[in-house]
Amino acid sequence: MLRRTAQRSAGGGGLAESFFPGYKDKVWAALPPAVRSYQINAQNSAFEGWCATHMRLQGVMEQWEGVRSKMAPSQKYRKPYVDWRRQQIRGTMHYGRWYEGPKNSDYRPDSTHDRLENVREPFTPEEWEERKQFRSWCMVSMGLGLWVLFAYYKVTTEVPVVWCEEQEQ
């Protein structure tokens, strides 16, 4: 909603106040009581209108919160599933039939295998050697190199200095 702005001056009323000190009080006193009460009621009802609108919207928002809380997903219907891409990244992906597990396990009570039992070394030494061939730059060493270049630039660059001389009087 657009509102009309009022000029607020540091002098307390602008030019008219400086020529006619206290003119607003004199105009207010000259108004009939009906006009004064109408202006006071108009300002008060405008403020109370905003309060009423806020109270109405607050009630609507509280009702919506009640509806929204009922829409939260239930843990009862949650599917404990890890997608295939994350299984590949974690090294827990098993390729084969659903009843076959890794290392000849088929998930019967005496024939199980914990795929997360060796989390410190998920790759064999041969796999590590193969992965080392495809290493890229470490971000820490790259960041350090960029910082060294920036420091070198700052140290070796000449920055012009302008000296302002005071004028003689």
Side-chain angles (χ1 to χ4, degrees):
M1 172 181 233
L2 295 174
R3 292 187 180 191
R4 195 171 1 145
T5 58
Q7 181 183 2
R8 303 199 186 285
S9 303
L15 190 60
E17 185 68 32
S18 63
F19 285 132
F20 313 108
Y23 80 98
K24 290 183 181 179
D25 297 330
K26 294 174 186 172
V27 170
W28 183 254
L31 289 175
V35 174
R36 284 190 284 185
S37 66
Y38 172 76
Q39 288 186 345
I40 291 171
N41 288 335
Q43 285 184 355
N44 289 341
S45 62
F47 175 74
E48 290 169 1
W50 282 101
C51 291
T53 303
H54 172 71
M55 295 296 286
R56 184 179 53 80
L57 290 176
Q58 185 177 8
V60 170
M61 293 303 288
E62 286 174 355
Q63 287 176 352
W64 169 246
E65 286 297 322
V67 171
R68 200 177 95 192
S69 65
K70 293 176 189 172
M71 291 189 213
S74 172
Q75 289 293 322
K76 178 180 176 183
Y77 301 105
R78 181 179 175 271
K79 183 178 180 183
Y81 170 74
V82 178
D83 62 337
W84 64 274
R85 181 66 73 189
R86 283 194 179 92
Q87 287 182 14
Q88 282 181 339
I89 292 170
R90 293 175 184 168
T92 59
M93 184 75 174
H94 171 67
Y95 303 94
R97 297 180 185 87
W98 63 271
Y99 55 85
E100 293 177 343
K103 299 187 180 176
N104 298 325
S105 65
D106 55 5
Y107 300 108
R108 288 179 297 179
D110 292 335
S111 180
T112 60
H113 171 71
D114 185 11
R115 290 185 271 168
L116 297 177
E117 118 188 324
N118 188 5
V119 295
R120 297 284 181 204
E121 298 172 7
F123 302 106
T124 62
E126 295 83 23
E127 289 173 332
W128 272 118
E129 291 303 320
E130 181 184 347
R131 288 172 65 87
K132 284 181 184 177
Q133 295 175 0
F134 301 103
R135 280 200 176 161
S136 60
W137 282 87
C138 179
M139 292 304 291
V140 174
S141 57
M142 279 188 64
L144 182 62
L146 290 173
W147 184 83
V148 166
L149 286 173
F150 175 74
Y152 177 76
Y153 169 76
K154 282 299 204 181
V155 168
T156 59
T157 304
E158 292 183 10
V159 179
V161 179
V162 178
W163 296 96
C164 298
E165 297 179 5
E166 295 181 7
Q167 295 179 355
E168 296 179 11
Q169 297 179 359

